[in-house]
């Protein structure tokens, strides 16, 4: 549809009818555009300036369901309580009730605990939020504390647990710390990236009974730390196996398995857990498991689950909302204002975004314009100290909004998360399931909402094919609620259009007044363009890059510049070239006294923490080859 990736799509609209916003394309290299930019700047500083959010938007389609969707139902709770489990130590039962406030078994725990206590390898599949961590942690701790004479640090490592993300590793470590409270001679330990190896080596030398960590750091110590020995290892747990493979850890896990096979003196017991049983997971199971028992509580044929159907908790109410590109930002803001004003009913919200730059930018933007809401951010490029602090703070507070990348999509148990908002659609349908699985955990109620552009409506059909039941919510519902809210004490009665326009102007003014925020917004926009272009081939019939109106999407980042100009804002080389041209983005021009943090440029296709990290090399031309 467009000649290049930054075309605005307005070639056929007469120039006099074009909007004075980012929808219009201009050539920066021509001197005549100096006056146009100055005009755009003066219009923005003029209090009477109102962006046209409700004109020239695409029609909103109505999705017609082919048939009634019947989701797969998986029982969550068992009829048994832990007090009925005579094989568990009384101290374990009392600790579960007093420390963890757990009295009743979930179905997956009821099926898994006897299998592991019998000493079998196990391949466990269960829906998100069903208590899989306790399903393997309880029988492992039970086995260890019964060993006589009692284990000491000098007896070496007995258990190793491999997890895909740092946050999930920290969470699992905390579970084990609570579980071994009555059995103080059992010592859990944690190895994750972002910490000094010297301090980790010191902990390993002291002795750890249960070692929990991420694949890269575990493999690093297995190869390079002399005090690490797996000679007496009895249990290996690989949790979220499907996610580990998606992140490209198959080689690391295979290398780790080879080291274990060479060092472990006795037959170890291995547990593999996954929400989906893909071919890759089955191949990993064949390499790591010995005569495993398959544990699954659903009555549905597993082959059907593997091919199409997704298992989602019954207590999760799923919704979608179709929003024109220009209205995305104000609609998201109105949803957050609406939900956070009802803090007694809906305490916490997770907002998933496609890239780390988007998370950084929107957190800063919302914190500036919506100061009454507590905003947090979480993504893979934050330091480990920052990630841990945010993770723990958000869990401890009763309300707030966490803007995050897919680093928070797997396994995390964040209490009282009521709403999951997917501002950018996921790369795959399975990622959708794991995102919404951060709410409605262990039987609690939860809600999810996914943003879709009009041309992306067929994603609903894709979810329907996976037996996901989802209903529509209207954009107007939230924008009308926005009209009833006052902005910074403004008691003026407004229409829906006026309220949305007022909020949009406040976002744009924030960028106009803060140059670092403007640069961050431009980086976020460029990263989103790259992200959208990186959807896999099987998803491009829904998320088609050629269908994008990049000018309208620039408006959703509160940018008033033409798309071709956005990629150059904040880059010193362009400032030199346009030294004498009045720039449209800030009346302060480029002030060297204002520190501007810019991320290093990258050749990666997408801007999220799950990229390969490999730099693409330019292919040599024939004339370059000697």
């Amino acid at each position: 549809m467009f000649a290049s990736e930054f075309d605005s799509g307005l070639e056929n609209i007469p120039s006099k009818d074009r909007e004075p916003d980012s929808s219009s394309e201009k050539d920066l290299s021509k001197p005549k555009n100096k006056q146009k930019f100055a005009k755009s700047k003066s219009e923005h500083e003029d209090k009477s300036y109102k962006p046209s959010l409700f004109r020239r938007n695409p029609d909103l389609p109505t999705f017609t369901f082919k048939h009634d969707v019947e989701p797969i139902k998986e029982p969550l709770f068992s009829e048994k309580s832990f007090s009925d489990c005579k094989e568990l130590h009384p101290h374990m039962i009392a600790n579960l009730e007093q420390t963890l406030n757990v009295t009743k078994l979930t179905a997956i725990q009821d099926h898994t605990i006897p299998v592991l206590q019998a000493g079998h390898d196990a391949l466990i599949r269960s829906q998100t939020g069903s208590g899989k961590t306790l399903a393997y942690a309880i029988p492992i701790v039970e086995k260890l504390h019964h060993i006589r004479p009692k284990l000491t640090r000098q007896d070496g490592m007995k258990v190793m647990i491999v997890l895909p993300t740092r946050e999930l590793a920290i969470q699992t470590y905390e579970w084990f710390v609570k579980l071994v409270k009555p059995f103080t001679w059992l010592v859990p330990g944690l190895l994750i990236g972002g910490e000094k190896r010297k301090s980790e080596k010191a902990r390993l030398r002291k002795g750890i009974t249960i070692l929990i960590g991420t694949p890269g750091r575990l493999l690093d110590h297995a190869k390079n730390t002399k005090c690490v020995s797996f000679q007496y290892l009895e249990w290996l747990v690989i949790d979220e196996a499907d996610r580990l493979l998606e992140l490209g850890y198959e080689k690391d896990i295979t290398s780790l398995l080879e080291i274990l096979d060479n060092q472990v003196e006795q037959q170890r017991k291995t547990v593999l857990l996954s929400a989906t049983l893909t071919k890759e997971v089955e191949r990993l199971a064949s390499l790591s498991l010995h005569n495993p028992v398959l544990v699954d509580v659903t009555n549905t044929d597993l082959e059907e689950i593997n091919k199409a159907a997704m298992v989602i908790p019954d207590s999760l109410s799923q919704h979608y909302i179709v929003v024109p590109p220009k209205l995305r930002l104000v609609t998201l803001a109105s949803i957050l204002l609406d939900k956070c004003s009802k803090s007694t009913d809906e305490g916490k919200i997770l907002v998933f975004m496609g890239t780390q730059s988007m998370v950084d930018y929107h957190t800063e933007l919302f914190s500036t314009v919506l100061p009454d809401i507590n905003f947090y951010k979480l993504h893979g490029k934050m330091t480990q100290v920052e990630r841990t602090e945010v993770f723990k703070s958000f869990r401890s507070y009763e309300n707030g909004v966490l803007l995050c990348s897919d680093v928070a999509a797997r396994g995390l148990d964040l209490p009282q998360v009521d709403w999951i908002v997917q501002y950018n659609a996921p790369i795959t349908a399975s990622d959708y399931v794991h995102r919404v699985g951060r709410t409605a955990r262990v039987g609690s109620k939860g809600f999810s909402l996914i943003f879709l552009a009009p041309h992306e409506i067929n994603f609903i059909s894709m979810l329907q094919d996976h037996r996901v039941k989802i209903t529509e919510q209207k954009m107007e519902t939230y924008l009308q609620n926005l009209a009833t809210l006052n902005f910074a004490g403004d008691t003026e009665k407004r229409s829906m259009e006026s309220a949305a326009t007022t909020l949009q102007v406040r976002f744009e003014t924030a960028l106009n007044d803060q140059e670092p925020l403007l640069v961050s917004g431009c980086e976020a926009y460029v990263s989103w363009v790259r992200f959208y272009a990186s959807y896999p081939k099987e998803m491009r019939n829904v998320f088609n890059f050629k269908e994008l109106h990049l000018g309208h999407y620039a408006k959703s980042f509160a940018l008033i510049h033409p798309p071709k100009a956005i990629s150059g804002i904040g880059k010193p080389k362009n400032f030199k070239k346009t030294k004498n041209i009045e720039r449209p983005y800030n009346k302060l021009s480029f002030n060297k006294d204002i520190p501007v943090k810019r991320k290093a440029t990258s050749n990666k296709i997408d801007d999220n923490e799950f990229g390969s990290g490999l730099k693409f090399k330019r292919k040599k031309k024939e004339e370059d080859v000697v």
Side-chain angles (χ1 to χ4, degrees), residues 438-620:
R438 298 315 97 211
T439 186
R441 299 182 68 80
V442 197
S444 61
K445 290 185 179 180
F447 306 88
S448 70
L449 180 67
I450 182 170
F451 275 65
L452 295 173
H455 72 274
E456 299 170 343
I457 192 65
N458 285 332
F459 185 68
I460 303 304
S461 179
M462 184 179 295
L463 292 179
Q464 188 182 26
D465 293 338
H466 287 279
R467 294 177 65 172
V468 173
K469 189 173 183 179
I470 188 169
T471 58
E472 183 179 11
Q473 286 194 345
K474 296 294 185 181
M475 171 187 65
E476 291 79 9
T477 302
Y478 294 105
L479 294 182
Q480 287 172 356
N481 291 338
L482 184 65
T484 63
L485 300 174
N486 64 337
F487 300 105
D490 185 3
T491 58
E492 179 184 351
K493 292 184 179 180
R494 301 180 181 274
S495 64
M496 177 185 74
E497 292 82 359
S498 176
T501 300
T502 299
L503 186 55
Q504 178 72 18
V505 169
R506 298 206 172 193
F507 285 127
E508 294 177 5
T509 301
L511 268 68
N512 188 63
D513 294 340
Q514 303 178 44
E515 187 166 0
L517 184 59
L518 171 67
V519 174
S520 177
C522 294
E523 291 177 346
Y525 173 80
V526 173
S527 74
W528 168 81
V529 171
R530 293 173 179 168
F531 165 79
Y532 205 96
S534 69
Y535 274 100
K537 185 177 180 180
E538 60 272 15
M539 300 287 286
R540 290 179 187 172
N541 61 327
V542 176
F543 304 103
N544 187 353
F545 187 82
K546 294 180 180 180
E547 296 289 337
L548 299 182
H549 192 305
L550 293 174
H552 284 192
Y553 274 99
K555 179 68 71 175
S556 72
F557 285 81
L559 298 171
I560 63 171
H561 314 83
K564 284 184 179 179
I566 291 174
S567 60
I569 293 177
K571 295 183 178 180
K573 62 180 181 180
N574 287 345
F575 281 81
K576 293 179 182 179
K577 291 180 181 179
T578 58
K579 183 177 180 180
N580 298 322
I581 298 178
E582 185 176 359
R583 288 173 285 276
Y585 48 86
N586 199 301
K587 60 184 179 181
L588 297 176
S589 185
F590 186 72
N591 191 338
K592 295 181 179 179
D593 296 331
I594 300 177
V596 180
K597 296 182 179 180
R598 288 187 293 274
K599 291 165 41 175
T601 58
S602 172
N603 290 327
K604 290 186 291 184
I605 292 177
D606 59 45
D607 191 42
N608 60 37
E609 67 277 4
F610 298 133
S612 65
L614 299 177
K615 293 184 178 180
F616 294 101
K617 295 183 178 180
R618 182 179 67 87
K619 293 183 178 180
K620 293 184 178 180

Side-chain angles (χ1 to χ4, degrees), residues 63-161:
F63 182 78
T64 304
F65 289 92
K66 304 173 188 176
H67 51 79
D68 291 335
V69 177
E70 199 172 318
I72 292 179
K73 293 185 178 181
E74 183 175 297
L76 181 59
F77 286 103
S78 168
E79 296 181 356
K80 293 174 60 177
S81 62
F82 281 103
S83 58
D84 299 327
C85 301
K86 304 302 180 184
E87 64 273 17
L88 298 183
H89 195 281
H91 290 171
M92 172 67 78
I93 297 173
N95 184 44
L96 288 170
E97 182 176 355
Q98 296 170 9
T99 305
L100 302 177
N101 196 26
V102 174
T103 57
K104 197 172 183 179
L105 281 84
T106 64
I108 195 64
Q109 292 166 1
D110 190 17
H111 284 68
T112 302
I113 291 175
V115 171
L116 298 187
Q117 285 192 319
H120 297 292
D121 286 10
L123 175 58
I124 303 172
R125 194 219 64 81
S126 181
Q127 65 183 7
T128 60
S130 58
K132 292 192 291 292
T133 302
L134 286 182
Y136 68 79
I138 290 174
I140 286 177
V141 173
E142 279 289 305
K143 284 286 186 180
L144 295 178
H145 80 73
H146 275 106
I147 296 176
R148 293 294 183 273
K150 291 181 179 180
L151 293 173
T152 65
R153 288 177 178 266
Q154 287 69 38
D155 288 320
M157 188 190 309
K158 295 295 182 181
V159 183
M160 184 167 68
I161 302 171

Side-chain angles (χ1 to χ4, degrees), residues 128 350 352 408-412 417 420 434-439 441:
T128 60
L350 257 65
F352 283 97
R410 289 293 186 112
L412 295 188
V417 172
I420 302 297
H434 289 289
R435 284 179 171 186
V436 299
R438 298 315 97 211
T439 186
R441 299 182 68 80

Side-chain angles (χ1 to χ4, degrees), residues 420-437:
I420 302 297
V421 178
Q422 301 187 59
Y423 193 55
N424 300 115
I427 294 293
T428 64
S430 61
D431 287 337
Y432 170 88
V433 175
H434 289 289
R435 284 179 171 186
V436 299

Side-chain angles (χ1 to χ4, degrees), residues 343-362:
S343 57
T344 54
D345 298 325
E346 297 153 352
K348 298 179 183 177
I349 304 173
L350 257 65
V351 181
F352 283 97
M353 294 188 168
T355 72
Q356 297 164 353
S357 295
M358 291 183 66
V359 172
D360 286 332
Y361 167 64
H362 285 90

